[in-house]
């Protein structure tokens, strides 16, 4: 008999976890819940909703998902907001603020909010919608980004909307806002071991995928999988590669698709492309292909994640799950996943020399790779798989509606 629902995860998380999920879901059966975010493709939020929404339905919640239909001008503004929330000094013009609010106002009018018992709004794009809707049911703002040191004026401008929310969900204790008197919950994101991004692949399948993109396996691969975004420090990745290449003859693969709500992608990509000119053994790929992500994370000798800010960084757990050593920056949600020396290695942002020497060491020590890899997978198994994310949400929902 083929299992279709949450039981499929039992082999990873155990029966106790699956039973705990149903225990938590039981008092919530029939709850009508609406997720609202701004993109169906690209980035970690959409990826998680693809798994979480069906799972919520499987355990008895009537979960829906609505997309805020933004136009490119909206995403120019919301990317600025995103940057400001992550600490960049950004000022918005009155026109930009008006555009931002107008989209939420319009969308609030025709989205099916009234048919739901709980509304979960993801990230800043649809945040103001709450301002334009009759308040009957609880609203939750699920913020996936690092808001520990936001640019002050933008934070103050968003606060009036935040104060209307019944709860805020963030990914790490470090993002808690002492100046925001709204009930705050911490839920770490999670990966789906059954999705195309993470499903098991045979060595043959991995090889075929790399062949398809013309990536030879003659040299160890250094890989970063990330949208082309300055916060992911793609130029820093090149810098580390140059240094490693002096010690170990290897290849670099940078894979980054473009999210529809990230208008800065093409410009950052062009900058990277400019720097790569004349460099040997560098592969830049912008296609969207989950199986390629999966294959690269398996084939890599080392996965890099050099983010300057990172709400969580699902790519880190994805690589750890595949037992591939990760060298990553000690920012945001990354140190929850990478325990230095145990499940991977941490460096401070901008420490390219430190990153390069760790990459070199890991590439040259197969025994170390093996030991770290096993611990990494177990850490992800215990903490960052979908059923745990679902359970955490059920607990927050119970607090809100029971
Ligand atoms: N991803 C992908 N293709 C790419 C780049 C990224 O499918 O070319 C996926 C990646 O595997 C991960 C998600 O997009 O699941 C990115 O999530 P993360 O939390 O790492 O970063 P975000 O983009 O949300 O800042």
């Amino acid at each position: 008999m083929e299992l279709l629902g949450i039981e499929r995860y039992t082999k990873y998380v155990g029966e106790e976890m699956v039973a705990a999920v149903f225990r938590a879901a039981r008092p919530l059966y029939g709850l009508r819940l609406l997720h609202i975010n701004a993109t169906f493709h690209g980035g970690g939020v959409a990826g998680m909703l693809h798994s979480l929404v069906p799972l919520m339905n499987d355990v008895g919640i009537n979960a829906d998902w609505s997309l805020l239909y933004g136009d490119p001008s909206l995403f120019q503004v919301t990317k600025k907001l995103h940057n400001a929330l992550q600490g960049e000094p950004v000022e918005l013009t009155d026109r930009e603020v008006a555009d931002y609010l107008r989209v939420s106002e319009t969308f609030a009018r025709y989205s099916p909010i009234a048919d739901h018992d709980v509304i979960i709004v993801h990230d800043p794009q649809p945040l103001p919608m709450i301002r334009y809707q009759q308040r009957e049911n609880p609203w939750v703002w699920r913020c996936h980004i690092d808001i520990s040191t936001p640019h002050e004026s933008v934070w103050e401008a968003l606060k009036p909307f935040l104060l209307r929310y019944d709860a805020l969900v963030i990914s790490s204790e470090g993002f808690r806002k002492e100046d925001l008197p709204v009930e705050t919950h911490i839920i770490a994101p999670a990966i789906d071991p059954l999705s195309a991004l993470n499903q098991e692949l045979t060595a043959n399948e991995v090889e075929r995928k790399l062949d398809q993109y013309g990536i030879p396996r003659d040299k160890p691969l250094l890989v970063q999988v990330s949208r082309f975004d300055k916060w992911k420090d793609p130029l820093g990745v090149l810098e580390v590669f140059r240094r490693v290449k002096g010690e170990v003859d290897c290849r670099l693969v940078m894979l980054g698709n473009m999210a529809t709500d990230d208008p800065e992608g093409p410009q950052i990509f062009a900058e990277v492309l400019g720097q790569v000119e004349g460099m040997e053994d560098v592969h830049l790929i912008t296609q969207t292909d989950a199986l390629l992500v999966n294959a690269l994370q398996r084939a890599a000798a080392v996965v890099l994640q050099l983010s300057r800010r990172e709400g969580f960084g699902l790519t880190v757990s994805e690589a750890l799950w595949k037992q591939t050593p990760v060298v990553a920056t000690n920012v945001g949600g990354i140190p929850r996943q990478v325990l230095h020396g145990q499940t991977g290695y941490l460096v401070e942002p901008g420490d390219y020399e430190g990153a390069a020497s760790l990459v070199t060491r890991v590439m040259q020590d197969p025994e170390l790779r093996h030991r770290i890899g096993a611990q990494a997978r177990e850490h992800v198994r215990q903490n960052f798989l979908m059923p745990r994310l679902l359970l955490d949400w059920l607990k927050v929902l119970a607090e809100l509606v029971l």
Side-chain angles (χ1 to χ4, degrees), residues 43-45 197 225-227 232 255-257 287 293 310 313-315 318:
V45 179
L197 282 173
V225 176
S226 281
R227 290 177 294 106
K232 312 279 186 184
L255 172 62
N257 59 2
Q287 269 102 325
V293 174
E310 193 60 80
L314 288 165
T315 47
E318 288 164 4

